[in-house]
Amino acid sequence: MTSQNRIAWTEIAYDACGERMRVEIRSSWAIALLARGPSVPVTWLLARAGVAPMTVTLAGLALALSMPAQALLLPLSIAVWGVALSGWLFQVLDCVDGSLARLNRVTTRRGGDMDFLVDMAQWGLLYLSIGVLADRTLDMAWLWTAVAGIAAWGRLLARVIRDRLDDADPAPLIPLRAADVPVAFLAGISGLIPFAALTGGWLGVAVIALLIYSLLDIVEAALPLTRGP
């Protein structure tokens, strides 16, 4: 097994920006562009320090859990930046823990399950945090928080549907058709969601956009049901 503090920079860069980037740019282009690249130096530093992948995953969980508290308790001018940067930093850490596990050959079912659960929790907490910020900005009691909660539930439902209907054998990577480009663009836009916290007076519109995005996600996840056996 490769020692954590001996992982070469080139190994980390290849893991992040090689074939994985090609696949991710089609399904999660915003995360690929905004988080995958910055994860390279963070992975290198944490590998040098001997930090375990599970520690990074748990750090991401702590960061995700802090977002609603930041949205509710910090001064509004600070809270919006806190939520946005925390959401982005979580995405970076989500790339880092996987890279550390792969490069050190310590990938496990338990680690993968934990990463998945933390990732899903983060989306729910992020959506709720944006709803709280919208209520504080627009003085709407808990209306926008409730709508954001529904949007979060929709995102989680879409993931459950997708995992249930997903083919065990992934399709080979083929060139996108013109008709596939809008779908790929919308599917990959989720990496920009943390920055919805910075929309100020448009936060209510941002929450509605999250709800619409979740509904489209459910429809897209359920499309295999419309195909023949």
Side-chain angles (χ1 to χ4, degrees), residues 28-159:
S28 306
W29 61 265
I31 292 177
L33 295 177
L34 298 177
R36 185 63 66 180
S39 75
V40 173
V42 178
T43 301
W44 183 79
L45 288 171
L46 295 183
R48 298 278 294 180
V51 177
M54 184 60 74
T55 301
V56 179
T57 301
L58 294 176
L61 176 60
L63 190 64
L65 290 171
S66 77
M67 287 192 289
Q70 293 182 60
L72 188 61
L73 301 176
L74 291 177
L76 187 57
S77 60
I78 299 175
V80 293
W81 284 99
V83 171
L85 294 177
S86 294
W88 170 74
L89 183 56
F90 177 91
Q91 294 174 357
V92 174
L93 293 179
D94 193 39
C95 295
V96 170
D97 60 4
S99 292
L100 285 175
R102 286 188 298 274
L103 292 168
N104 286 289
R105 297 175 177 84
V106 292
T107 54
T108 64
R109 175 68 179 272
R110 177 172 172 267
D113 289 343
M114 185 66 178
D115 184 65
F116 168 76
L117 292 174
V118 170
D119 187 46
M120 290 296 97
Q122 180 268 158
W123 286 117
L125 293 166
L126 175 61
Y127 278 39
L128 286 175
S129 299
I130 293 172
V132 171
L133 292 175
D135 282 325
R136 291 185 64 189
T137 301
L138 304 172
D139 195 19
M140 294 292 288
W142 296 104
L143 173 63
W144 292 121
T145 303
V147 175
I150 295 171
W153 177 83
R155 184 182 183 100
L156 300 182
L157 176 61
R159 183 57 185 265

